[in-house]
Amino acid sequence: MEFSLSGNALKTFARSVTCLARIGNELVIQASPSQLAFYTLNASRSAYQAITFEPGFFDAYVVSGNQVQCSVLLKAVCSVLRTPIASIDHLRVQLPDPDSLKVQWSLKCFNGMNKTYCISCNVEPDIQHLSLDRRQFPSDLVVRPRDLNRLLSNFQSSLQEITIIATEPTSLPSEAASEIEGKAVELRSYIDPTKDNDALLHTQLWIDPMEEFVHYSHSGDPVDITFGVKELKAFLSFCECCEVDIHLYFEKAGEPILMAPKFGLDDGSGSNFDVTLVLATMLVSQLHVGSRAQLPQEAATEHGESDHRTASQPQQDGSRANVSGHPSDHTRIWSELSGSAPRSGNAAEGQVQGERNLSSCEQMEIQRISTMQISNAGCAQANNLVDRTRDLTTNIKCLKKCGAVG
């Protein structure tokens, strides 16, 4: 296998490799005499991209045999194209033998410098093929890259998934149709309900297909699809650089969404390359998630409130009986300290303690009275002794006077 390209084809080739690198890590190269195909699949197997080039896309294209395929790392291919494209005269890629272990990439620059890179092939390549017929999708829309980029600018840059809701304008009720004024398409930021989303911004954007889209086709009941924003922006950048519109094909939630470039007004048969991006969508529809989650929650809330009311009434009655019949320890202690509650359980003990206290007081009073009586008796005896002493002294004085006289 050998091919070479230059000019605008080289720019498109470099953009294709960059877009593939934003989707997956491994590049599968499959060459046949009729076309050269690049495939990639992301790690979670939710995004698949295929880019095909016809022989007329290249300056020279030669394939020996029916089919040649190999697999290389996209990171290594991006390092080859790190050289500015404007300074490259042409690029040549060679795989000398179908069993070769390396792919040779050669760059010839305008300044005369030649660069050669040998990229090792993967030993066990993960080659996957996906075939979807675009005509089987019931709904589709075509949007210009700059318009889609402007619409996505209304959402947070950290948004990971986005939901597209498609409705038929004529099927809307009169009240709803008057409110949204023919805006049959809605873009909604998807927020994971299992995570804490208080700090995230919820955005809903209603779109009039006649004003924002080049083409819009949907009939029947409303449908919604939720898919990754990262892959959408990668494909958007590719189509914007190639100056082509984006064509989206979809059916309903759980079914894949297919994206492809829209080359002018035709079906792309006049183009010498084609790109297909297939993204997996979430299985759960977002149209009735809010109402389904709200009804069981409301029912559970009402049931819980009734159970709470039924269970709280006996509990209140029981608490009243508990307070009146069997007061708690804290209630009994604080009632005894404050003296505001009757002592029902320890009435006899309090009475005995009171009798003991009363007996002690009476004994102290008796002892005090006895002491007072003893003191009074002692005072009386002392008074009698003083009187006797006074009489004796008087008698002695009288005897002395008599002796002196005699």
Side-chain angles (χ1 to χ4, degrees):
M1 177 194 70
E2 181 180 355
F3 63 86
S4 63
L5 65 167
S6 61
N8 292 331
L10 179 59
K11 295 180 181 179
T12 303
F13 183 84
R15 293 165 185 162
S16 301
V17 173
T18 302
C19 184
L20 290 166
R22 297 179 64 179
I23 302 298
N25 299 323
E26 185 178 356
L27 174 63
V28 177
I29 303 175
Q30 186 175 5
S32 64
S34 60
Q35 67 176 10
L36 174 68
F38 288 169
Y39 304 101
T40 188
L41 183 69
N42 64 348
S44 60
R45 296 180 178 270
S46 61
Y48 174 85
Q49 187 173 15
I51 302 179
T52 57
F53 303 95
E54 295 182 359
F57 180 81
F58 304 97
D59 297 338
Y61 181 77
V62 177
V63 176
S64 59
N66 295 329
Q67 184 174 340
V68 178
Q69 63 182 13
C70 62
S71 174
V72 295
L73 293 178
L74 277 166
K75 183 178 180 180
V77 180
C78 290
S79 63
V80 174
L81 300 175
R82 191 174 300 172
T83 303
I85 302 300
S87 62
I88 301 176
D89 183 16
H90 66 272
L91 167 67
R92 177 177 285 105
V93 180
Q94 293 178 337
L95 183 65
D97 187 80
D99 298 331
S100 298
L101 300 179
K102 293 184 179 181
V103 180
Q104 183 177 346
W105 301 69
S106 302
L107 298 176
K108 185 177 181 180
C109 302
F110 289 108
N111 57 5
M113 183 181 295
N114 296 327
K115 300 180 181 180
T116 302
Y117 301 85
C118 294
I119 301 177
S120 300
C121 298
N122 296 328
V123 178
E124 296 180 356
D126 186 10
I127 300 176
Q128 302 288 337
H129 297 284
L130 180 63
S131 178
L132 291 176
D133 189 1
R134 305 177 185 180
R135 296 171 296 181
Q136 294 182 355
F137 289 89
S139 304
D140 66 302
L141 62 90
V142 180
V143 59
R144 298 182 181 89
R146 63 175 182 272
D147 294 335
L148 182 58
N149 197 6
R150 175 174 50 83
L151 295 174
L152 293 178
S153 64
N154 295 280
F155 296 85
Q156 282 186 318
S157 58
S158 60
L159 184 65
Q160 297 182 357
E161 288 89 14
I162 192 171
T163 302
I164 298 179
I165 301 177
T167 61
E168 187 177 359
T170 57
S171 63
L172 294 175
S174 58
E175 297 180 358
S178 60
E179 290 179 359
I180 64 176
E181 297 179 355
K183 298 177 175 61
V185 179
E186 178 185 351
L187 297 182
R188 179 187 301 178
S189 57
Y190 173 78
I191 305 298
D192 191 355
T194 61
K195 298 181 181 179
D196 186 10
N197 304 310
D198 295 338
L200 298 179
L201 180 64
H202 300 254
T203 305
Q204 290 178 283
L205 186 63
W206 284 269
I207 302 171
D208 186 0
M210 299 297 295
E211 296 180 359
E212 302 293 344
F213 297 156
V214 179
H215 168 75
Y216 175 73
S217 175
H218 175 76
S219 61
D221 297 333
V223 297
D224 69 298
I225 47 174
T226 303
F227 54 93
V229 179
K230 175 186 174 182
E231 294 79 8
L232 174 63
K233 290 184 176 180
F235 192 76
L236 172 61
S237 300
F238 172 79
C239 293
E240 188 174 10
C241 294
C242 295
E243 298 180 354
V244 293
D245 297 337
I246 303 175
H247 203 157
L248 279 72
Y249 302 87
F250 55 92
E251 183 176 356
K252 62 179 180 179
E255 299 295 332
I257 177 175
L258 188 146
M259 303 181 190
K262 179 69 173 178
F263 299 97
L265 299 177
D266 54 5
D267 57 354
S269 58
S271 177
N272 50 16
F273 76 97
D274 191 16
V275 184
T276 301
L277 175 62
V278 181
L279 301 179
T281 61
M282 290 192 175
L283 297 175
V284 180
S285 175
Q286 304 300 316
L287 292 175
H288 307 290
V289 169
S291 60
R292 290 178 183 175
Q294 186 176 3
L295 290 176
Q297 185 177 3
E298 292 177 354
T301 304
E302 294 177 357
H303 182 68
E305 290 179 354
S306 61
D307 292 343
H308 178 70
R309 288 194 297 267
T310 306
S312 61
Q313 291 178 357
Q315 185 177 2
Q316 292 177 357
D317 297 339
S319 62
R320 293 176 183 174
N322 189 13
V323 171
S324 60
H326 301 84
S328 63
D329 295 337
H330 294 284
T331 305
R332 179 175 58 82
I333 292 173
W334 286 106
S335 299
E336 289 179 355
L337 292 176
S338 61
S340 59
R343 299 177 179 87
S344 59
N346 297 330
E349 183 180 358
Q351 185 176 359
V352 173
Q353 186 70 23
E355 292 177 356
R356 291 178 182 176
N357 294 335
L358 182 60
S359 300
S360 300
C361 293
E362 290 178 353
Q363 291 177 2
M364 292 177 63
E365 185 67 21
I366 293 172
Q367 185 177 2
R368 185 177 64 83
I369 295 173
S370 300
T371 305
M372 292 176 63
Q373 291 178 355
I374 292 172
S375 300
N376 292 333
C379 292
Q381 293 178 0
N383 292 331
N384 293 331
L385 181 60
V386 171
D387 291 340
R388 290 178 183 178
T389 303
R390 186 181 295 114
D391 294 341
L392 181 59
T393 303
T394 303
N395 292 331
I396 292 173
K397 289 180 179 180
C398 291
L399 290 175
K400 287 181 178 181
K401 288 180 179 181
C402 291
V405 173

